[in-house]
């Protein structure tokens, strides 16, 4: 567990009488993309604001390379680049002036570095225009340029894909990957589960102010058994065979475990089962022998959605 | 694209410079108010004060008029506010072909001969008088009818003061008071007239004589009449000594017309009364 | 780590680029000619009336005021006020100095005198009320505070910048007023003597300390006092700007306080503890001109201390709140 960039320990936050954040603990290491996943209102943004000293935790510590973010901002935050929610930059300044502005707030950021980050986010064409005239995607890029300005070791992006088109999202994903390969730790928050799954190495799942689970995305996925969709004719006979088979469990209501999109694509003659590993060929053999026409066997990898649904037990997700 | 650098340079230099200047001013102001440097009056070379033109009345192209004295000069009691001063200026403008301007009306309510003599020492008053061709003076009423001051100030409160109510107030103005005030006041009048003469030897001075506002009251009619006559006589003796000085009598005007010419305070003339005085002033000038 | 100077530089550039300062200049450029024109008309009018002789005008002013002194219907405070006024006019007359000689410098002096309690504070608020709440309205405060800079440094840089612009605004007011009115009345008058040092004790003016200063010196002192008032108002507006999220709300709060001040000043005297309110103490230049203070017991040092305390409290509140506050949106 070397190279820990960010360590969050037992952080609580009370606003008014309400405990908004309860005992949040996690680490982010060099070179990894860490997902911060939860529905809206779960406390993602509050936690992220605490990471960058916009909000002081009621108790617990947040450290970047050992420097306390809330006590020793000047040392801790020099390693951190961030975009909290929307990239709010000064619209009455040009992109370049914005970057100059933030460069002055940090030592060691020269004009050459500004040019460098402008090139990285490919804004050089419009950098001397007023930000007022920028599209949302361009502002997002300017925000990232701003975050990269101080050569951070930790990049915090709060809902970075908000408002981006699919092409932009894909670009961003590749971009973040590239940064991580260069050794940067990236913390990405999202309420879009697929996004985390596509992007992140590790993930913390947060709901109602508490961390439900922290772990490798793959690990969390493999903890869950596979689902299989069987399409066959005649269905009723097939169902009987499946239900008698050792290690197979018929799922009564498919809606509770599968995505709506999958269910919509299912034919009427389908049944969903949960199997033990590696028994599909044996089942198939039995079905064929019984003269049942198997039209399709579809193995579904469990998604974070299912994972999340199981953990939060039906809390609403967008 | 170095505009921001220039903005910074200009703003910082300019603001630091102005801040320093303003700070100096601030400290200076505190010092000056708390410990004023007395006596460093760097007197400006005083401009030559315009001397009155020494031409005789007829040759003058324009009449510059100043009025000085008591509430009558001011025009108290005249609902239109004109008083005899403005009315005579207007009358003069009509009857003569000359340009007539009112320089200043220095009438002050309640002014007595004492006050007038003091006032004549004031630089500003002297300046006005020096510039004038015609000086209209009204004074003395307050010396004689001291208590009547009460009446003039009561006028605003009751629009229609009847004779009966005013008689009770007028009781203050006793016969003794009137007669006792006479000698000193008439001496002061003499001083005042002479002063004005010295201030401006060439102007035409018009003194507006007194009338008896209490001519319709039994207790005061005789005393009042006597005092006013004596007063006017004293004034005349002084006035007669000088050329270019005249007394405009008002005693006869008011004697039998008090109801017609007095305002509701039963002391000052009303608009019509002032008009009558003004007519006489105009006659006195021509 | 990072120096405060670059932060001040940032704030200056933002104010200029946000065109806040231009708005102030524009307001001045529009309003000053209007005032100048009004002044020109009124001086033309009195020229017609008094043969163009200021002595006559002044004497009439004295007489009129003396007359009103005699009336019983005028409240005592007003009488006192007028008595003092008359005495001052008399002094000018005796020394043959026209207190209102129409020229660019005198106009500027009077204009500055009249703007101290409302107009200049208003201009100041255009910048001071926006400097913190403006960043919160747009959300840029998040960017500002996630940089490796202590919060108090961010706030201090804003405060210093604001004071720099206070100075610039006062200078601009002076410069624009002088340049525009000078075009009408002439650019002369810096050396005209102006009397100061009237000390009011009770209903009398103590003339023993009266002395003449050249007008430029008077102007300098006047602007110095205006600067102090303006800094105080700016610091108060700054505090409100820290406390209130929207710029509009913070302007409204400050405006209400200032207008309450002018109303209180006019009602005055009966409620003596009102003298501890900052808005009653804004007319510092009155002490220079010898105009009686609205409430018994006020003098320059008193007002300076009252304003100073208000300013200090606002600074303390601003820093305490700003460094502790959670930025929730």
């Amino acid at each position: 567990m070397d190279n820990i960039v960010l360590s969050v320990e037992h952080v609580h936050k009370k606003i008014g009488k309400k405990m908004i954040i309860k005992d949040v603990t996690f680490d982010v290491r060099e070179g990894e993309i860490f997902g911060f996943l939860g529905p809206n209102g779960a406390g993602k943004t509050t936690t992220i604001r605490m990471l960058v000293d916009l909000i002081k935790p009621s108790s617990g510590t947040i450290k970047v390379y050992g420097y306390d973010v809330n006590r020793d901002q000047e040392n801790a935050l020099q390693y951190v680049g961030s975009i909290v929610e929307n990239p709010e930059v000064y619209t009455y300044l040009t992109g370049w002036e914005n970057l100059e502005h933030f460069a002055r707030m940090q030592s060691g950021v020269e004009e050459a570095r500004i040019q460098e980050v402008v090139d990285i986010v490919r804004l050089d064409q419009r950098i001397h225009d007023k930000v007022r005239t920028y599209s949302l995607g361009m502002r997002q890029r300017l925000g990232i340029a701003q975050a990269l300005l101080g050569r951070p070791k930790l990049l915090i992006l709060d809902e970075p894909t908000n408002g981006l088109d699919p092409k932009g999202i894909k670009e961003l994903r590749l971009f973040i990957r590239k940064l991580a390969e260069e050794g940067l730790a990236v913390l990405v928050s999202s309420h879009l589960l697929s996004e985390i799954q596509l992007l992140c190495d590790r993930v913390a799942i947060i709901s109602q102010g508490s961390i439900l689970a922290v772990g490798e995305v793959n690990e969390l996925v493999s903890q869950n058994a596979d689902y299989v969709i069987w399409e066959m004719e005649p269905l009723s006979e097939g169902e009987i065979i499946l239900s008698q088979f050792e290690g197979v469990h018929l799922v009564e209501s498919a809606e509770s475990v599968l995505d709506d999109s999958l269910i919509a694509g299912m034919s009427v003659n389908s049944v969903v089962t949960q199997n033990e590993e590696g028994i599909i060929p044996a089942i198939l053999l039995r079905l064929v022998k019984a003269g049942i026409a198997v039209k399709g066997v579809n193995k579904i990898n469990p998604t974070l959605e299912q994972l999340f649904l199981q953990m939060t037990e039906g809390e609403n997700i967008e | 694209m170095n505009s921001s650098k220039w903005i910074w340079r200009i703003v910082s230099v300019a603001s630091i410079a102005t801040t320093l200047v303003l700070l100096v001013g601030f400290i200076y102001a505190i010092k000056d108010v708390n410990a004023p440097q007395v006596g460093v009056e760097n007197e400006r070379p005083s401009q030559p004060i315009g001397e009155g033109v020494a031409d005789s009345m007829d040759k003058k192209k324009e009449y510059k008029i100043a009025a000085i004295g008591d509430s009558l000069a001011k025009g108290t009691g005249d609902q239109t506010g004109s008083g005899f001063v403005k009315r005579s200026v207007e009358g003069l403008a009509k009857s003569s072909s000359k340009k007539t301007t009112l320089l200043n009306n220095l009438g002050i309510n309640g002014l007595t001969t004492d006050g007038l003599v003091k006032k004549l020492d004031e630089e500003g008053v002297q300046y006005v008088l020096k510039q004038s061709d015609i000086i209209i003076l009204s004074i003395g009423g307050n010396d004689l009818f001291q208590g009547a001051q009460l009446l003039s100030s009561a006028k605003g409160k009751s629009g229609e003061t009847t004779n009966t109510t005013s008689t009770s107030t007028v009781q203050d103005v006793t016969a003794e008071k009137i007669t006792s005030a006479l000698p000193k006041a008439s001496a002061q009048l003499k001083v005042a007239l002479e002063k004005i003469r010295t201030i401006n030897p060439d102007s035409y001075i018009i003194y507006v004589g007194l009338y008896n506002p209490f001519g319709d009251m039994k207790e005061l009619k005789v005393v009042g009449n006597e005092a006013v006559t004596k007063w006017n006589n004293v004034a005349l003796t002084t006035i007669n000594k000088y050329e270019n000085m005249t007394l405009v009598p008002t005693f006869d005007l008011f004697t039998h017309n008090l109801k017609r010419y007095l305002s509701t305070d039963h002391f000052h003339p009303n608009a019509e009364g002032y008009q009558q005085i003004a007519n006489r002033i105009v006659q006195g000038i021509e | 780590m990072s120096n405060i100077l670059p932060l001040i530089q940032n704030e200056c550039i933002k104010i200029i680029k946000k065109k806040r300062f231009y708005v102030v200049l524009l307001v001045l450029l529009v309003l000053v000619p209007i005032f100048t024109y009004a002044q020109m008309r009124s001086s033309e009018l009195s020229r017609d009336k008094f043969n163009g002789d200021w002595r006559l005008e002044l004497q009439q002013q004295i007489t009129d005021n003396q007359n009103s002194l005699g009336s019983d219907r005028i409240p005592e405070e007003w009488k006192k006020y007028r008595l003092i006024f008359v005495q001052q006019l008399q002094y000018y007359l005796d020394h043959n100095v026209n207190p209102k000689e129409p020229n660019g410098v005198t106009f500027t002096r009077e204009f500055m005198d009249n703007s101290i309690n409302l107009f200049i504070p208003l201009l100041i608020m255009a910048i001071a009320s926006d400097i913190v709440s403006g960043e919160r309205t747009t959300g840029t405060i998040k960017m500002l505070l996630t940089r490796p800079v202590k919060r108090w440094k961010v706030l201090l840089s804003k405060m210093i910048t604001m004071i720099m612009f206070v100075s610039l605004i006062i200078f601009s007011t002076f410069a624009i007023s002088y340049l525009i009115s000078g075009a009408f009345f002439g650019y002369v008058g810096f050396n005209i003597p102006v009397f100061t040092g009237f000390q009011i004790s009770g209903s009398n003016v103590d003339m023993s300390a009266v002395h003449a200063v050249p007008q430029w010196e008077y102007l300098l002192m006047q602007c110095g006092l205006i600067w102090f008032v303006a800094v105080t108002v700016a610091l108060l507006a700054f505090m409100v700007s820290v406390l209130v999220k929207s710029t509009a709300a913070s302007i409204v709060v400050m405006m209400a306080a200032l207008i309450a001040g002018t109303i209180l000043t006019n009602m005055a005297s009966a409620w003596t503890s009102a003298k501890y309110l900052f808005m009653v103490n804004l007319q510092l230049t009155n002490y220079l001109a010898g105009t009686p203070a609205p409430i018994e017991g006020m003098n320059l040092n008193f007002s300076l201390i009252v304003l100073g305390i208000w300013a200090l409290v606002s600074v303390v509140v601003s820093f305490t709140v700003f460094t502790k506050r959670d930025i929730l949106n």
Side-chain angles (χ1 to χ4, degrees), chain A residues 275-292:
Chain A
N275 301 354
E276 279 173 13
E277 289 274 347
I279 57 170
I280 291 178
I283 301 169
L284 261 178
L285 201 66
R286 172 93 55 94
L287 286 171
V288 171
K289 273 183 184 165
I292 290 163

Side-chain angles (χ1 to χ4, degrees), chain B residues 42-48, chain C residues 95-96 193:
Chain B
N42 44 351
E43 192 78 50
R44 189 163 59 147
S46 63
Q47 295 171 352
Chain C
H95 288 77
N96 200 24

Side-chain angles (χ1 to χ4, degrees), chain B residues 9-255:
Chain B
R9 273 177 208 161
I10 293 168
V11 167
S12 56
V13 170
S15 62
I16 289 167
T18 47
T19 307
L20 287 177
V21 170
L22 291 168
L23 264 174
V24 168
F26 176 62
I27 292 163
Y28 210 90
I30 295 176
K31 262 194 188 159
D32 197 274
V33 172
N34 285 322
Q37 317 112 300
V38 190
V40 267
E41 285 190 27
N42 44 351
E43 192 78 50
R44 189 163 59 147
S46 63
Q47 295 171 352
I49 288 181
E51 297 290 333
V53 196
D55 290 329
S56 82
M57 287 314 281
D58 299 324
K59 286 184 199 158
K60 281 179 181 159
K61 280 182 220 148
E62 73 172 306
Y63 289 143
K64 288 187 206 148
I65 300 173
I68 187 163
D70 53 20
S71 48
L72 259 67
K74 184 169 181 278
T76 308
D78 188 339
Q79 288 92 331
T80 64
S82 303
F84 64 66
V85 177
K86 268 196 186 159
R87 288 170 194 274
S88 25
V89 170
E90 279 160 18
L92 208 56
K94 261 185 224 159
S95 66
S96 71
S97 52
K98 288 166 188 167
K99 198 184 155 208
T100 318
T101 42
L102 175 64
L103 286 184
N104 266 69
N105 183 347
L106 305 178
I108 288 176
N109 285 331
L111 195 72
T112 61
T113 47
D114 267 345
L116 176 65
V117 170
K118 272 182 211 142
K119 217 169 174 27
L120 287 172
D121 290 332
E122 286 176 14
E123 192 92 26
V125 173
Q126 290 193 3
Y127 178 79
V128 173
L129 294 182
K130 270 181 196 161
Q131 301 234 314
S132 322
D133 304 314
I134 298 168
I135 298 167
I136 305 174
L137 171 67
S138 164
I139 197 77
N142 294 311
D143 296 78
L144 292 192
F145 310 113
Q146 280 287 315
Q149 192 61 25
L150 283 168
L151 287 171
S152 69
S153 57
K155 81 184 158 82
K157 289 167 191 163
S158 59
E160 197 61 45
T161 320
T162 61
N163 275 355
T164 41
T165 50
S166 65
T167 332
S168 59
T169 336
V170 168
Q171 230 80 58
D172 296 351
V173 193
T174 58
E176 294 93 71
K177 264 193 186 165
I178 294 178
T179 27
S180 68
L182 195 59
K184 194 186 167 242
S186 53
Q188 286 290 75
L189 172 68
K190 198 167 166 248
V191 175
L193 282 168
E194 279 161 4
K195 259 198 172 166
I196 298 175
R197 185 76 290 169
T198 347
I199 291 168
N200 186 346
D202 303 309
S203 63
Y204 189 56
I205 300 170
I206 295 170
Y207 177 71
V208 180
L210 292 189
Y211 59 88
N212 180 10
F214 308 119
D216 53 357
M217 280 172 234
K218 251 190 274 166
E219 309 92 326
L220 291 173
K221 180 174 179 175
V222 183
V223 210
N225 281 354
E226 258 173 37
V228 167
T229 318
K230 266 188 201 163
W231 174 271
N232 286 342
N233 279 334
V234 175
L236 257 180
T237 25
T238 316
I239 288 164
N240 283 338
K241 276 195 261 174
Y242 295 95
E243 297 238 337
N244 280 347
M245 217 187 259
T246 192
L247 182 139
V248 170
T250 57
F251 182 75
D252 56 319
L253 262 179
F254 284 82
T255 305

Side-chain angles (χ1 to χ4, degrees), chain C residues 38-278:
Chain C
Q39 170 75 43
M40 201 173 70
R41 289 310 297 267
S42 87
S43 62
E44 264 172 17
L45 213 65
S46 64
R47 201 174 306 151
D48 290 348
K49 252 191 195 156
F50 293 97
N51 266 351
D53 192 333
W54 62 269
R55 291 178 197 83
L56 299 179
E57 189 186 351
L58 213 57
Q59 185 57 48
Q60 192 63 63
Q61 231 177 329
I62 291 174
T63 312
D64 290 348
N65 276 288
Q66 278 176 338
N67 265 316
S68 63
L69 283 174
S71 171
D72 290 336
R73 276 169 299 153
I74 291 177
E76 278 308 308
E77 309 93 79
W78 288 24
K79 279 192 190 172
K80 189 173 122 192
Y81 188 87
R82 289 189 189 188
L83 197 66
I84 292 163
F85 185 56
V86 164
Q87 279 171 302
Q88 287 177 357
L89 289 179
Q90 197 70 57
Y91 194 92
Y92 280 110
L93 209 49
D94 290 348
H95 288 77
N96 200 24
V97 171
N98 183 359
K100 284 199 228 165
E101 189 165 299
N103 60 54
V105 185
T106 309
F107 173 85
T108 307
R109 175 166 62 87
E110 289 203 341
F111 180 67
M112 298 295 275
D113 223 9
N114 289 323
S115 355
I116 188 170
N117 66 331
L118 215 54
F119 187 58
I120 287 182
L122 191 73
L123 296 180
I124 301 279
M125 275 153 53
I127 285 174
S129 290
D130 185 59
I131 198 159
V132 178
S133 47
E135 302 249 9
R136 294 185 69 200
T137 315
T138 57
T140 43
I141 188 98
K142 289 183 299 194
M143 297 300 210
L144 212 52
L145 296 184
T146 52
R147 303 288 79 225
V149 178
K150 293 248 182 209
R151 282 195 190 185
W152 66 263
K153 281 189 185 171
V154 173
L155 197 68
L156 184 66
S157 71
K158 282 184 177 290
M159 200 174 266
I160 290 172
T161 309
M162 182 185 72
I163 290 172
M164 286 164 66
F165 273 90
V166 164
S167 300
L168 287 179
I169 286 174
I170 291 172
F171 178 75
S172 315
T173 313
F174 163 78
I176 289 173
S177 168
Y178 175 63
L179 290 177
I180 290 178
S181 67
F184 289 88
F185 304 122
Y187 290 104
V188 290
F190 277 110
N191 286 319
I192 291 177
V194 179
F195 293 105
T196 180
F198 300 96
Q199 277 164 333
I200 296 143
S201 46
S203 65
N204 237 317
V205 190
D206 181 3
M207 299 279 195
S208 63
V210 171
H211 57 283
V213 293
Q215 193 153 236
W216 66 264
E217 205 175 305
Y218 189 91
L219 256 171
L220 184 67
M221 296 196 281
Q222 195 185 26
C223 288
L225 292 177
I226 292 175
W227 180 78
F228 187 80
V229 169
V231 167
T232 308
V233 171
L235 289 174
L236 279 158
F238 190 79
M239 173 184 70
V240 176
S241 177
V242 169
L243 295 177
V244 178
K245 198 188 160 194
S246 101
T247 304
S250 84
I251 288 181
V252 166
V253 169
M254 279 309 288
M255 274 311 286
L258 287 173
I259 290 169
T262 54
I263 295 172
L264 273 176
T265 311
N266 290 331
M267 298 206 288
S269 68
W271 176 34
T272 48
S273 4
K275 68 184 172 187
Y276 299 108
L277 296 172
F278 80 92

Side-chain angles (χ1 to χ4, degrees), chain A residues 239-290:
Chain A
E239 263 183 310
I240 293 165
I241 293 169
L242 284 175
S243 59
Q244 287 165 350
F245 206 93
E246 190 84 2
V248 174
H249 172 68
L250 267 180
V251 176
E252 296 294 329
S253 55
E255 293 81 11
S256 67
V257 291
L258 293 187
D259 265 4
D260 287 347
S261 57
L262 280 172
I263 291 167
M266 262 163 61
S267 95
V268 209
N269 297 322
S270 299
V271 69
V272 181
T273 61
Q274 202 177 1
N275 301 354
E276 279 173 13
E277 289 274 347
I279 57 170
I280 291 178
I283 301 169
L284 261 178
L285 201 66
R286 172 93 55 94
L287 286 171
V288 171
K289 273 183 184 165

